[in-house]
Amino acid sequence: MIEHIGNRYIENRPVYSANAFQEEHKKKHRYHKTFLDHLKVCCSCSTQKAKRIALSLLPIASWLPAYRVKEWLLSDIVSGISTGLVCVLQGLAYALLVNIPPSYGLYAAFFPIITYFFLGTSRHIAVGPFPVLSIMVGATVMRLSSMDNSDAMDSYNSSMSNNSSQDNYRVMVAATVTVLSGIIQLLMGALQVGFMVIYLSESLISGFTTAAAVHVLVSQLKFMLQLSVPSHTDPFSLFKILISIFTQIEKTNIADLVTSLIILFILFVVKEINQRYKAKLPVPIPIELIMTVIATGVSYGFDFERRFNVTVIGNMPSGFEPPITYDLEVIKGTIGDSFSIAIVGFAVAFSVASVYSLKHDYAIDGNQELIALGVSNIFTGSFKGFAASTALSRSAIQESTGGKTQVAGILSALIVLIFIENLGFLLAPLQKSVLAALALGNLKGMLMQFTEIRRLWRKDKYDCLIWIMTFIFVTVLGLALGLAASVAFQLLTIVFRTQFPKCSTLASVGRSNIYKNKKDYSDIYEPEGVKIFRCPSPIYFANISFFKQKLIDAVGFSPLRILRKRNKALKKIRKLQKQGLLQVTPKGLICTVDGLKDSDEELDNNQVEELNQPVNTTDLPFQIDWNASLPLNIAVPKIELHSLILDFSAVSFLDVSSMRGLKSILQDFIRIKVDVYIVGTDDDFIEKLARCEFFDDEVKDSIFFLTIHDAVLHILMKKDYSASKFHFNQVPVETKF
């Protein structure tokens, strides 16, 4: 019963042990499905299930019939045109990151949108090239197109009529790794393992994308300066590229450098205006399009290619090229890279899709997103595009310009198609340094993630460390190896947190039923002879030793050492008692002979097992008070503790090794007459301990209680504390055991 008095309450209920609570409040019987039950449901077939599966695999069938033409079509048209123009420019720019001709970036901007329109569950993300994925694909391309693979390159290009054999080989590698990553994503979606993305935390993704942005920045310097920089894909490649750039910095093309710096400056200024006044602007200023038109016109009008020897896009073939032919050696060499590309691509797309699904209140399916991205990458790679995910800036444009559904996406694909078929020649005079500047202009958001370090340091030191180490790993080791090392480090931090948990000693705050760390408060009440110990993590084989040591530190003594000391002293007392040298007085035991000496060695030889047994004084004609003075040189440490409460409310599981270690130390406490109580556990936890024979005759008495307060009240009433020593705001009327 609870009575409210203003903002206070008085609770009147029995003190519950776990058994007493179960007797008074019976649990409902719940049937837990077995593996066979789940298998039957999975294998069963019905009309409704078939319809549900069809709609889940083809989401367009559920949202397109409900499309509001009058309300949404105009917004989707405006959004599609705006997004499509950005898709063209970003496709061309990100192709440079892949180290292939810019025209292939248009394929990467076109094909993924078509398949995602039918298979995707997000209404707002703009699928297509993403700079981080592009730099990852580019690293694979440069690794396989190095001199060590010249034989494979020659064998592939021997069947090609195109004069640019190196470009053909690079396109084939990029397409192959894209198809493989798509197959991996498709298999993951079919196997319903979309949950794997949870192993990439926000801190890890932030650190990874920031480091990838640094890689993108360095990779574009050679286009901005127009330098011939050899490719490096091994660890420390970033620094090797920088060394190569600085050793030939005097060869910089000033026209390219000035053009790219002007473009970058204007991009940053206008993007800042878009961000600051986004509430007042009807649509963001399409600065990329404006600068591309101006740069193309200036380059063509002043003939930059001939006068200043700048590098331009050049003629782009119109139309589509035939599907690629695969090379088995390339497939073998790209499987590992494809897996990391598949994971990163899905993680980025799903995180962006989650943001918009929450904002606009609709559901997305992670496994279906894997299938959609997988099919998109297979389709794109087959027609010589490269890996797709979603670009943050492109998705923001699609959503902010009024896009309601993927109809905007399909219209943006139509804009890209027009450039592929008819308008590509207009971009021929455009400098590659301008494309590099456009790519870098979209990295501002990623590079600004350095500010996350300060925020994470204030909130969680472990997350901050994950961010920093991820950035270092990816910067030094490269994208693929760096990602693997970052995930491993992140998992190690989880192990570290559970292996070395922040255990604490609790006490009542303000003599209430609220128990907190005693180090954090001054107005605390800790009953005499009672310790409340809390472990905030699972207890398993890796941290059971740490748990035992922390428990010993909290109580101030080792129960096993006390037990052995008492058994040694008992042997001496028995020996003195048999010799008639002990006299029992009201003040304790007195030895009638002074100066008697005994050797510890005769007590220790081959008797370790005996010393670990419970102290048994039933054969003596008197009781021994171990906290009183003992005769002669018999020294046993005195302890004030009589009750130990273990708060296991945050302990989610125990393994067999930890149960064995926990049982041994609790038995040691019980053998030295310290009562042990465990609180905060559920019935399944108790049943598991019982099945593992955690209890024996020494531990079977009621040690499980509902809450810390129940255990404390039971101890105080059991020890018959006086009212002057014991006063709480919550007083029980009876005790149940």
Side-chain angles (χ1 to χ4, degrees), residues 69 120-121 158 236 327 393 570 602 623 629 655 734:
V69 177
T121 59
S158 62
F236 302 98
D327 186 285
S393 58
L570 185 59
E602 63 175 328
Q623 293 295 322
S629 298
D655 66 0
E734 58 178 315

Side-chain angles (χ1 to χ4, degrees), residues 208-230:
F208 176 80
T209 52
T210 306
V214 174
H215 278 276
V216 173
L217 174 63
V218 173
S219 70
Q220 295 305 286
L221 289 178
K222 64 181 180 182
F223 295 107
M224 294 176 64
L225 304 176
Q226 201 189 122
L227 298 177
S228 178
V229 179

Side-chain angles (χ1 to χ4, degrees), residues 488-508:
F489 179 80
Q490 177 182 247
L491 295 177
L492 279 177
T493 62
I494 297 173
V495 174
F496 185 83
R497 292 196 212 198
T498 58
Q499 188 173 354
F500 304 103
K502 294 182 179 179
C503 300
S504 57
T505 304
L506 308 183
S508 169

Side-chain angles (χ1 to χ4, degrees), residues 187-346:
L187 290 175
M188 290 171 62
L191 296 175
Q192 304 288 294
V193 292
F195 65 88
M196 286 186 63
V197 73
I198 64 176
Y199 293 108
L200 302 180
S201 67
E202 290 185 9
S203 301
L204 187 145
I205 292 176
S206 177
F208 176 80
T209 52
T210 306
V214 174
H215 278 276
V216 173
L217 174 63
V218 173
S219 70
Q220 295 305 286
L221 289 178
K222 64 181 180 182
F223 295 107
M224 294 176 64
L225 304 176
Q226 201 189 122
L227 298 177
S228 178
V229 179
S231 60
H232 300 279
T233 59
D234 52 335
F236 302 98
S237 60
L238 188 77
F239 307 102
K240 295 177 181 177
I241 293 174
L242 287 174
I243 292 173
S244 179
I245 289 174
F246 285 117
T247 53
Q248 50 180 324
I249 194 72
E250 72 279 357
K251 300 178 183 178
T252 298
N253 187 303
I254 302 300
D256 272 325
L257 177 61
V258 172
T259 302
S260 57
L261 290 177
I262 293 174
I263 297 288
L264 268 178
F265 176 76
I266 297 175
L267 279 176
F268 285 145
V269 171
V270 177
K271 282 182 177 290
E272 187 64 28
I273 294 174
N274 284 339
Q275 180 65 27
R276 184 165 297 184
Y277 299 101
K278 61 181 179 181
K280 298 180 179 180
L281 292 172
V283 294
I285 301 172
I287 187 60
E288 291 97 339
L289 176 63
I290 295 172
M291 296 311 300
T292 301
V293 172
I294 294 175
T296 304
V298 171
S299 176
Y300 177 77
F302 291 94
D303 197 8
F304 276 14
E305 183 180 10
R306 186 179 60 82
R307 293 178 61 186
F308 301 110
N309 196 30
V310 300
T311 305
V312 297
I313 293 177
N315 294 325
M316 292 191 296
S318 61
F320 297 97
E321 296 192 9
I324 65 166
T325 55
Y326 300 102
D327 186 285
L328 185 60
E329 293 300 321
V330 173
I331 293 175
K332 291 179 181 179
T334 56
I335 291 177
D337 297 319
S338 300
F339 186 80
S340 59
I341 290 171
I343 295 295
V344 173
F346 170 63

Side-chain angles (χ1 to χ4, degrees), residues 1-12 729-730:
M1 181 178 68
I2 301 177
E3 296 181 13
H4 294 270
I5 305 176
N7 62 348
R8 303 172 67 86
Y9 72 89
I10 298 175
E11 183 177 356
N12 190 344
N729 294 331
Q730 175 191 12

Side-chain angles (χ1 to χ4, degrees), residues 504-507 518 526-534 551 553-557 640-647 669 674-677 708 712 715:
S504 57
T505 304
L506 308 183
K518 60 186 293 186
E526 190 174 20
E528 184 180 345
V530 179
K531 283 289 182 184
I532 307 171
F533 183 77
R534 183 175 185 270
L551 181 57
D553 293 342
V555 299
F557 61 87
E640 301 295 332
L641 184 70
H642 58 71
S643 299
L644 173 64
I645 301 175
L646 299 178
D647 179 13
F669 276 110
V674 175
D675 296 329
V676 177
Y677 303 92
I708 297 175
V712 171
I715 293 168

Side-chain angles (χ1 to χ4, degrees), residues 586-640:
K587 295 183 178 180
L589 300 177
I590 298 177
C591 185
T592 57
V593 178
D594 294 332
L596 183 66
K597 293 184 179 180
D598 200 356
S599 171
D600 282 342
E601 292 183 4
E602 63 175 328
L603 297 176
D604 294 336
N605 290 338
N606 302 319
Q607 294 178 352
V608 175
E609 288 298 326
E610 285 187 39
L611 297 177
N612 293 341
Q613 296 304 311
V615 178
N616 185 6
T617 60
T618 55
D619 59 325
L620 296 177
F622 48 81
Q623 293 295 322
I624 302 176
D625 183 0
W626 295 107
N627 285 334
S629 298
L630 297 176
L632 296 173
N633 60 341
I634 301 176
V636 176
K638 297 177 176 60
I639 61 173
E640 301 295 332

